[in-house]
Amino acid sequence: MICLNQVILCKYGELVLKGLNRSSFEAVLIRNVRRRLKSLGDFSYSSRQSTLFVEGDDSLCDFGEAMERLKRVFGIAKLCMAVSCEKNLDDIESTVSEYLGESLQLAQSFKVEAKRADKRFYLDSMQLMAELGGRILERYPHLTVDVKSPEVTVVVEIRDNAAYVHGMPVDGAGGIPVGTSGRALLMLSGGIDSPVAGTMMAKRGVIVSAIHFQSPPYTSERAFIKVKKLAAKISEYCGQITLFSVPFTKIQEAIRENCPEELFTIIMRRQMMEISQRLCEAYGFSAIVTGESIGQVASQTMAAMVATDSVCRLPVFRPCIGLDKKEIIDISYKIDTFDISIEPYEDCCTVFTPKHPKTKPTLAEVERAESGFDFEPLIKEALDGITQVTLRPYEEYDF
């Protein structure tokens, strides 16, 4: 029996296209991976040949949980749980038998894939596949070769420092590492769409913080707990998230008492945008992110969004803008937020909802409706009342 040296191979995707900036992207990725795996053991990290190698002492490091966490790290396209060995055919055959022998024993068909990154190796990829495949057939005579739909795929990678044996890779999260594309503030409502939007921005390297508007007594503490659960869940993809909570009741009551009912939602969104961008300016966020999808509800028509955005001095990113509801729900299942999002706790966007909201408001009529009341003192009061909490991936919270 040989000693197997376990390693997780994290294959790069888009990072390989980064040219002269690639090393800085790799450094951010390694930092993000190190943070996610810190509680699972003393891993070591090295980047070679478009792959991040995650290694450690098998008896002290939780490789299984590490593999699961790495599936949620942006910047990794594919993942392989592998073992390393010497670069000779005898050691490779023995390693295949030790590492994949049980799977091969239970299977009826197999194939071998070989990748020779080290061109000095004495067999090319085709020769290695043929030689190793023959030896596997001798050792497991019940097997047949099936290159199209095998039950087991044996993959051998010949790299500069060692040979690596593994099964088929699994998909990573893709994208680019969080922390390479600036910082933005996500308007996190508690619904299905906004957690998806925040995760999609993180996939493009954006550090995401979140803002949530509370309207007690119209919204409950359970509603805010739901939002914290969502922030904690997407932190598995986005990394650490700071969640800002804004007391919004007085502003909503002022809108109800002083503005036309059919414009309530638009004016509310404008006040939210104003508060959000002032928070952005105070904390150095470069943009606002929302979960809006065009035409989904009355406040998300093109005319309504134009009226909302007219108050904005910062870019507003809407990564869900062209997705239909099913596509958004599919992503919410993938990131495991759907069940939290549908918990039956109200949010402030459903408070005082007009019976017949205007879907095609003009900016002039919205500004005219707002002009009858001075919202500035209430905006300042809301900003002064903001509280914040930090949610970190994989920490336990008493929600």
XYZ file of all heavy atoms in Angstrom, residues 6 89-90 106 138 147 149 152 184 192 195 232 276 314 335 350 366 397:
135
model
N -3.123 13.770 -0.414
C -4.342 14.369 -0.942
C -4.137 15.849 -1.257
O -3.417 16.569 -0.560
C -5.479 14.207 0.062
C -6.863 14.355 -0.533
C -7.930 13.704 0.338
O -7.773 13.576 1.543
N -9.013 13.299 -0.284
N 4.992 5.335 -14.584
C 3.783 4.568 -14.840
C 3.451 3.603 -13.710
O 2.274 3.403 -13.377
C 3.924 3.814 -16.164
C 2.631 3.272 -16.792
C 1.597 4.363 -16.947
C 2.938 2.615 -18.137
N 4.462 3.010 -13.083
C 4.202 2.069 -11.990
C 3.524 2.773 -10.813
O 2.543 2.274 -10.240
C 5.505 1.413 -11.530
C 6.063 0.430 -12.553
O 5.287 -0.025 -13.416
O 7.277 0.145 -12.489
N -16.494 -1.701 -8.499
C -17.957 -1.724 -8.537
C -18.520 -1.353 -9.907
O -19.704 -1.580 -10.160
C -18.517 -0.754 -7.492
C -18.214 -1.099 -6.025
C -18.670 0.024 -5.111
C -18.868 -2.410 -5.643
N -6.033 -5.220 -17.042
C -5.397 -6.423 -16.490
C -5.741 -6.598 -15.013
O -5.981 -7.715 -14.541
C -3.878 -6.333 -16.656
C -3.399 -6.486 -18.092
C -1.890 -6.378 -18.200
O -1.211 -6.319 -17.142
O -1.376 -6.350 -19.337
N -15.638 5.041 -23.991
C -15.119 6.412 -24.062
C -16.227 7.458 -24.094
O -15.953 8.651 -23.937
C -14.208 6.592 -25.296
C -12.984 5.702 -25.188
C -14.968 6.341 -26.583
N -19.687 7.072 -22.420
C -20.463 7.153 -21.168
C -19.917 6.177 -20.128
O -20.624 5.247 -19.695
C -21.935 6.862 -21.449
O -22.480 7.768 -22.381
N -16.858 5.146 -14.643
C -15.736 5.755 -13.926
C -14.767 6.347 -14.944
O -14.410 5.680 -15.923
C -14.992 4.728 -13.047
C -13.768 5.381 -12.392
C -15.919 4.168 -11.984
N -19.709 47.724 -3.614
C -21.055 48.208 -3.929
C -22.002 47.890 -2.781
O -21.738 47.012 -1.953
C -21.565 47.586 -5.228
N -36.866 37.236 -3.158
C -36.080 36.261 -3.919
C -34.985 36.933 -4.738
O -33.872 36.409 -4.869
C -37.009 35.451 -4.852
C -37.998 34.620 -4.022
C -36.210 34.540 -5.777
C -39.087 33.957 -4.852
N -31.038 38.805 -3.114
C -29.877 37.953 -2.827
C -29.210 37.422 -4.087
O -27.982 37.291 -4.143
C -30.475 36.809 -1.996
C -31.747 37.343 -1.443
C -32.274 38.287 -2.468
N -26.251 36.129 5.685
C -25.312 35.091 6.110
C -25.170 34.010 5.047
O -24.068 33.496 4.803
C -25.776 34.481 7.433
N -29.552 55.378 0.381
C -28.517 54.409 0.005
C -27.281 55.099 -0.537
O -26.147 54.737 -0.192
C -29.066 53.421 -1.032
O -30.116 52.646 -0.495
N -24.925 58.100 -8.241
C -24.035 56.946 -8.403
C -24.657 55.954 -9.375
O -25.878 55.941 -9.570
C -23.811 56.249 -7.053
C -23.055 57.027 -5.976
C -23.071 56.244 -4.668
C -21.630 57.302 -6.410
N -27.967 28.939 -5.103
C -27.222 29.568 -4.010
C -27.880 29.320 -2.657
O -27.445 29.852 -1.634
C -27.018 31.077 -4.252
C -28.359 31.815 -4.286
C -26.226 31.309 -5.532
C -28.225 33.326 -4.412
N -43.845 46.126 1.042
C -45.249 45.729 0.957
C -46.149 46.582 1.852
O -47.361 46.381 1.876
C -45.407 44.247 1.343
O -44.983 44.064 2.696
C -44.568 43.355 0.436
N -43.815 63.023 -10.700
C -43.242 62.466 -9.468
C -42.573 63.571 -8.652
O -42.764 63.673 -7.430
C -42.240 61.342 -9.792
C -41.505 60.900 -8.528
C -42.943 60.152 -10.430
N -24.979 31.488 13.903
C -25.701 32.621 14.457
C -26.996 32.126 15.108
O -27.604 31.166 14.651
C -26.030 33.653 13.376
C -24.810 34.297 12.768
C -24.287 33.841 11.546
C -24.166 35.337 13.407
C -23.158 34.425 10.982
C -23.031 35.931 12.854
C -22.538 35.469 11.648
O -21.422 36.045 11.104
